[in-house]
Amino acid sequence: MAPYSMQTLILFAYLISLVSVYSASSAVHSAGTPLDLSAFFNAKAASTGLNDSFADFDGSGRAYPVEYLPAGPSFVYEGINFALPPFHETSKFDTVRTDSQVISVPNDSESITHFQSFHALATAIWPASGSSGYQQGTLTFTFTDGTHETAGFVVGPWWSTNPFDGPITTPFHYANATLDSGHTTDYNVTSISYVSVRIPNAKALQSVTLPLDSTYINFFSVTLLPALTSAGPSQTADVQLSVQNVRSTTKWIGGADGSSADKVQQIEVTLNNLAPLNASSSSWLTATYNVSLVSDDIETVVPGIVKRLRSNDQVVVPVGVRNRVGVKSGTTAKVQVVLSSTGENQAGRDVKLEDANDWDVVAGIPEWTNGDASLRTHEAPEWGVYSVPAWAPTGQQYAEWYNWDFHNRE
Ligand SMILES: *[C@@H]1O[C@H](CO)[C@@H](O)[C@H](O)[C@H]1NC(C)=O
Ligand SMILES: *[C@@H]1O[C@H](CO)[C@@H](O)[C@H](O)[C@H]1NC(C)=O
Ligand SMILES: *[C@@H]1O[C@H](CO)[C@@H](O)[C@H](O)[C@H]1NC(C)=O
Ligand SMILES: *[C@@H]1O[C@H](CO)[C@@H](O)[C@H](O)[C@H]1NC(C)=O
Ligand SMILES: *[C@@H]1O[C@H](CO)[C@@H](O)[C@H](O)[C@H]1NC(C)=O
Ligand SMILES: *[C@@H]1O[C@H](CO)[C@@H](O)[C@H](O)[C@H]1NC(C)=O
């Protein structure tokens, strides 16, 4: 291999994952504790029309058309329950322009104190002189013992001329004629993105500090997913995993030989180990399990495999399924997630899966049709653009070994 030097490639795969949206949300499953943002709303995202001068999402008077925004009160995405802001109350602010706001976690005696992950509906904006693009932000988690941890995240632009999507989209937005070549309406698809960030769950969380104002990110809703504690869900098995989400995709597994006969639909199962970060390794999954979906409408052809999942961590497992005979593509199927032991590295541990039943998925991949609604469900395949970090001083080492050396210190 060529001795490339000074290559530091960015994690495009992560950006791609932010663009995917095809999801059958289930009314039954929605987890998490929404935080009350009402004291922090400081701008109006939803506009009633061209003459609505109160709406000013980005500081340049641009805004979303309210008639395309969901009315709520709640919105479920990736298995997470979000409280929607008052989009439809025309004289109330409905978005938080980030400016290092400190959002306290409820701390009365009934409240849950330990959390696994932070989830938000949010989007990147940019200054009047800037142009459409992603933003990177940093969250600061402050714990009741006075310690802090920071975590970075990336959030998609609220609109872009490139194909872009989000859990909530509108077909246009109101524009600023001065900045937008005389247009008062811009017909680029406009959206609200989803952000997910892990929280170290061993310590009680006191507050979350949003990013600096200079990062240009607007938040609509924030939900925290509780970890296993006395106040939250409790541990009932040696190893206790829980299903956060089961999501249908338009991706195929198999068919590598070019024939479509052995291609099966990919469904993604998101599993959490909600045990404390510092819990003993007996609470980690260290054995090999198959992940299958059981349903009247679909059958599992290629089980997912999970070999390891430590506490305070998450894994997304792809499972290959096929519609049963007579089940039409596009049917909503109710599925149950089942873990089955392959007998490897068991160590006699009792493994339990919570929230495994009654997930709705779209069975089968409907024929593609000419139009946005269909094309928008397309996702980058598993082999999509990705990269690894690489770097070496010129002439001294091969850059390709950077990642190996990084993880294998001698
Ligand atoms: C906006 O206001 C202008 C001037 O008052 C009026 O002529 C126009 O009809 C209004 N447009 C809409 C969409 O309400
Ligand atoms: C539109 O942009 C111009 C130039 O930045 C700015 O002066 C004006 O205030 C903006 N309009 C609104 C309604 O914010
Ligand atoms: C609970 O939170 C409030 C507001 O953040 C804070 O003033 C108070 O000291 C907290 N109480 C406890 C017991 O941590
Ligand atoms: C999309 O945005 C670009 C850049 O502002 C603009 O030139 C173009 O007209 C917009 N497209 C549509 C369909 O409105
Ligand atoms: C884990 O960390 C928390 C917070 O620092 C501490 O209270 C708890 O005792 C620790 N648990 C174990 C098993 O070490
Ligand atoms: C796990 O999946 C593999 C591959 O389909 C299969 O051969 C094996 O029998 C499965 N084992 C269990 C315990 O389900």
Side-chain angles (χ1 to χ4, degrees), residues 288-292 300-305 339-343:
T288 304
Y289 277 77
N290 279 1
V291 179
S292 306
T300 298
V301 184
V302 184
I305 294 175
L339 284 182
S340 48
S341 163
T342 61

Side-chain angles (χ1 to χ4, degrees), residues 294-368:
V294 174
S295 165
D296 290 343
D297 297 314
I298 59 176
E299 57 183 329
T300 298
V301 184
V302 184
I305 294 175
V306 54
K307 295 189 167 184
R308 194 159 292 222
L309 186 59
R310 67 157 299 166
S311 55
N312 201 182
D313 209 350
Q314 180 182 86
V315 65
V316 178
V317 185
V319 181
V321 303
R322 187 161 52 205
N323 286 18
R324 290 189 189 280
V325 174
V327 175
K328 282 218 280 216
S329 197
T331 303
T332 300
K334 209 165 264 311
V335 303
Q336 182 193 357
V337 183
V338 174
L339 284 182
S340 48
S341 163
T342 61
E344 226 177 283
N345 304 323
Q346 282 312 310
R349 283 194 204 133
D350 169 26
V351 176
K352 197 168 162 193
L353 187 63
E354 301 278 345
D355 291 324
N357 300 329
D358 294 331
W359 289 90
D360 288 345
V361 297
V362 177
I365 302 177
E367 289 291 316
W368 297 102

Side-chain angles (χ1 to χ4, degrees), residues 13 16 249-252 266 268 378-386:
I16 287 169
T249 76
T250 56
K251 294 185 277 193
W252 297 110
Q266 177 170 325
E268 290 175 355
H378 186 266
E379 295 185 40
E382 296 311 287
W383 47 262
V385 183
Y386 79 102

Side-chain angles (χ1 to χ4, degrees), residues 126-311:
W126 45 89
S129 56
S131 54
S132 169
Y134 290 85
Q135 301 287 10
Q136 279 173 267
T138 301
L139 295 170
T140 303
F141 300 115
T142 301
F143 301 93
T144 54
D145 66 0
T147 60
H148 309 268
E149 302 251 5
T150 58
F153 66 97
V154 176
V155 59
W158 70 296
W159 64 271
S160 161
T161 49
N162 296 320
F164 188 79
D165 231 324
I168 297 172
T169 61
T170 67
F172 64 87
H173 62 264
Y174 295 108
N176 175 318
T178 311
L179 296 172
D180 299 324
S181 320
H183 298 295
T184 52
T185 304
D186 178 300
Y187 290 94
N188 289 294
V189 171
T190 304
S191 59
I192 291 177
S193 296
Y194 166 69
V195 169
S196 162
V197 178
R198 173 179 168 278
I199 303 175
N201 72 1
K203 296 181 278 190
L205 187 66
Q206 182 172 309
S207 63
V208 181
T209 306
L210 297 183
L212 301 172
D213 62 344
S214 56
T215 55
Y216 286 91
I217 294 169
N218 286 2
F219 289 86
F220 300 93
S221 184
V222 172
T223 290
L224 304 178
L225 186 69
L228 288 174
T229 59
S230 48
S234 54
Q235 183 116 16
T236 58
D238 298 335
V239 181
Q240 185 175 324
L241 308 185
S242 66
V243 179
Q244 180 184 311
N245 197 30
V246 180
R247 166 181 176 276
S248 10
T249 76
T250 56
K251 294 185 277 193
W252 297 110
I253 293 178
D257 61 352
S259 83
S260 60
D262 57 344
K263 288 207 300 189
V264 294
Q265 183 192 10
Q266 177 170 325
I267 307 271
E268 290 175 355
V269 178
T270 303
L271 300 177
N272 280 310
N273 185 336
L274 301 172
L277 177 62
N278 60 351
S280 96
S281 58
S282 64
S283 70
W284 304 4
L285 187 81
T286 51
T288 304
Y289 277 77
N290 279 1
V291 179
S292 306
L293 298 174
V294 174
S295 165
D296 290 343
D297 297 314
I298 59 176
E299 57 183 329
T300 298
V301 184
V302 184
I305 294 175
V306 54
K307 295 189 167 184
R308 194 159 292 222
L309 186 59
R310 67 157 299 166
S311 55

